Amino acid sequence: MRLTIIGAGHVGLVTALCFAERGNEVLCVDHDAAKVARLSKGEATFHEPGVPQLLAKHGGRAVKFSSSTAEGTAFGEVIFICVSTPSLPGGGVDMRYFEAVSRDIAAALTSYRVIVEKSTVPIRTAEHVKRTVQRHAANGGRDAAGNALFDVASNPEFLREGAAVKDTLEPDRIVIGVESERAEKLMRGVYAGFSAPVMVTGIPSAEMIKLASNAFLATKISFINAISRICELGGADVAEVARGMGLDPRIGRHFLGAGIGYGGSCFPKDVDGLIHVAADLGYPVPLLAEVQRINRDQCAHLVDAVRDELWVLAGKRVALWGLAFKPDTDDIRESPALRIAAALIAEGATVAGYDPVAGANAVAACPGLKLASSAADAAAKADALIVATEWPEFTALSQNPASLAALKRTMRVPAVFDGRNCLDAAAWRTAGFTLRGMGR
Ligand SMILES: NC(=O)c1ccc[n+]([C@@H]2O[C@H](COP(=O)([O-])OP(=O)(O)OC[C@H]3O[C@@H](n4cnc5c(N)ncnc54)[C@H](O)[C@@H]3O)[C@@H](O)[C@H]2O)c1
């Protein structure tokens, strides 16, 4: 099929490449001309395993790039909108990019198209898209015979950064929200080459499945983090507690890792978005506000622990290992590591950060953060070491006593704070470090 993707970011680019991998012809549009130029040269614009290889295979062939939404509208019978839907400063979702794309598609609409919401959007977004397209398209979005020239559909994306290519090629479910048979047929055709179960729903349900899924996962993380605080006070080990809980199939073991909390471009903003949507609809959900509060408090709790250890933070050097919001990505949006860095810097500490791939993005986003060239460079002469992202480079040290001994010799104070409970505490303590985890 000929498919158009609008927004060549983490979701749009991966979706475009994976649709090409499944045999489709794709035009990927982004309004950022510099990004389009880099992608057209075969250059990946962010770190994501598998993307450079797919870009080399399909770029300029099955996937072409453009900065024109009009060209995109003329190209694909199905148009996936994958643009950013960030949080507004006062909460709620900023739909300005999504609205702009809807208007641009409307202005270029000449034959039937399915306009698909792939970005994460508030429930009832499709109603707004429909009204916007009708308002801005010639003849109200109808052909000469009065037939509608478009349908709106919802096809939420569940990929995880760091595993985005695999998640997109082998999704665990495909959710399609539609309100016409024609749109359903085309959407089923798009996913004909995928082996995942397809679930067809009404559009509001599809929109809600995504929001509810992210809010549930975030709630699970905040739940175990709240439990971890009780564990700390009561002398329990949250890792053991989580393992014991997770063996119950009704609970499951995933998303029960206590730590400095969730970040990234999705959970914080999507929980926030759902809080606002629910309130707008007349059913405020304080539970979700509490989920966000517990999450934010985890970073403050770690900073408290560092202060407790070092007494005064001003003038101290703190090594911060891991700056991305999770491993295998250079995405630093809402990264807990940067929240911790900012708090330490505000108290006068020098923070030497290191990340295998996210260093440049982190320095640009966090004023005062000093970038180290390696994990060892960050830790040299440090009064404390915080592990904020569980990159294998850091966790593997637990198996290497000689490296741990060498690391200890270079630090001023061998105090380690494991913000992800990802280090083998016994190995680090045997090497002479004091190690504090989260909730253990
Ligand atoms: N990143 C994830 O892990 C993930 C997972 C599932 C769903 N989502 C959702 O998908 C959407 C996109 O997320 P992302 O992480 O890919 O964002 P992103 O910021 O990486 O990419 C968005 C892209 O859209 C482009 N864009 C913005 N306005 C445009 C316009 N008017 N015309 C053309 N291009 C435009 C931007 O230049 C950018 O390249 C969001 O709603 C997000 O919540 C993200």
Side-chain angles (χ1 to χ4, degrees), residues 315-394:
K316 300 286 164 60
R317 177 181 164 96
V318 179
L320 184 59
W321 283 5
L323 302 168
F325 84 95
K326 67 174 185 175
D328 267 328
T329 179
D330 60 355
D331 197 341
I332 48 80
R333 291 178 283 186
E334 295 290 329
S335 171
L338 298 193
R339 213 176 297 144
I340 289 167
L344 294 168
I345 292 165
E347 289 199 41
T350 298
V351 178
Y354 167 72
D355 189 284
V357 298
N361 288 347
V363 162
C366 183
L369 176 69
K370 305 266 182 278
L371 196 59
S373 58
S374 65
D377 182 27
K381 298 201 168 51
D383 297 286
L385 164 63
I386 298 169
V387 178
T389 315
E390 61 273 47
W391 282 98
E393 177 180 341
F394 311 144

Side-chain angles (χ1 to χ4, degrees), residues 54-325:
L54 286 181
L55 195 53
K57 185 172 170 190
H58 297 299
R61 286 176 282 277
V63 180
K64 298 210 169 65
F65 297 96
S66 164
S67 54
S68 160
T69 298
E71 203 185 316
T73 306
F75 183 87
E77 193 168 4
V78 184
I79 303 171
F80 292 84
I81 307 182
C82 305
V83 300
S84 357
T85 49
S87 290
L88 286 164
V93 186
D94 186 347
M95 294 299 288
R96 80 180 75 177
Y97 308 105
F98 209 92
E99 200 240 13
V101 173
S102 308
R103 274 188 280 121
D104 290 347
I105 292 172
L109 197 64
T110 53
S111 50
Y112 179 80
R113 297 291 179 255
V114 182
I115 302 169
V116 186
E117 309 166 349
K118 199 166 227 347
S119 300
T120 304
V121 296
I123 190 167
R124 300 173 80 175
T125 292
E127 288 175 25
H128 290 290
V129 174
K130 217 160 141 182
R131 229 173 319 137
T132 301
V133 175
Q134 281 164 349
R135 195 171 291 152
H136 294 278
N139 199 28
R142 298 192 170 274
D143 64 16
N147 300 313
L149 273 182
F150 71 98
D151 273 306
V152 178
S154 164
N155 173 218
E157 181 52 60
F158 301 101
L159 66 77
R160 298 160 301 169
E161 287 182 21
V165 169
K166 186 173 182 302
D167 285 350
T168 308
L169 288 174
E170 298 160 28
D172 40 31
R173 82 282 214 197
I174 293 160
V175 174
I176 295 173
V178 280
E179 53 186 19
S180 85
E181 274 178 29
R182 189 175 185 184
E184 179 180 341
K185 192 156 170 254
L186 276 164
M187 291 302 291
R188 283 187 183 276
V190 169
Y191 285 105
F194 293 74
S195 58
V198 175
M199 183 181 176
V200 177
T201 68
I203 295 178
S205 300
E207 293 168 339
M208 193 62 188
I209 285 169
K210 174 64 190 178
L211 291 177
S213 298
N214 274 3
F216 183 78
L217 293 173
T219 302
K220 216 172 163 190
I221 294 171
S222 280
F223 181 85
I224 199 66
N225 279 333
I227 295 296
S228 82
R229 302 289 284 274
I230 305 171
C231 287
E232 251 173 52
L233 296 167
D237 179 339
V238 72
E240 290 177 349
V241 173
R243 210 175 319 127
M245 289 169 62
L247 287 170
D248 182 334
R250 293 170 304 173
I251 297 173
R253 66 191 166 83
H254 298 290
F255 280 72
L256 285 182
I260 52 178
Y262 56 79
S265 68
C266 292
F267 285 4
K269 113 176 145 57
D270 293 346
V271 176
D272 198 41
L274 188 53
I275 288 171
H276 279 79
V277 164
D280 285 351
L281 291 171
Y283 184 74
V285 187
L287 168 73
L288 295 176
E290 191 55 14
V291 165
Q292 298 275 64
R293 187 201 65 76
I294 292 169
N295 189 57
R296 279 191 302 271
D297 194 50
Q298 287 301 98
C299 289
H301 184 55
L302 187 131
V303 172
D304 288 345
V306 179
R307 194 187 304 104
D308 182 51
E309 182 75 32
L310 300 183
W311 187 14
V312 172
L313 290 174
K316 300 286 164 60
R317 177 181 164 96
V318 179
L320 184 59
W321 283 5
L323 302 168
F325 84 95

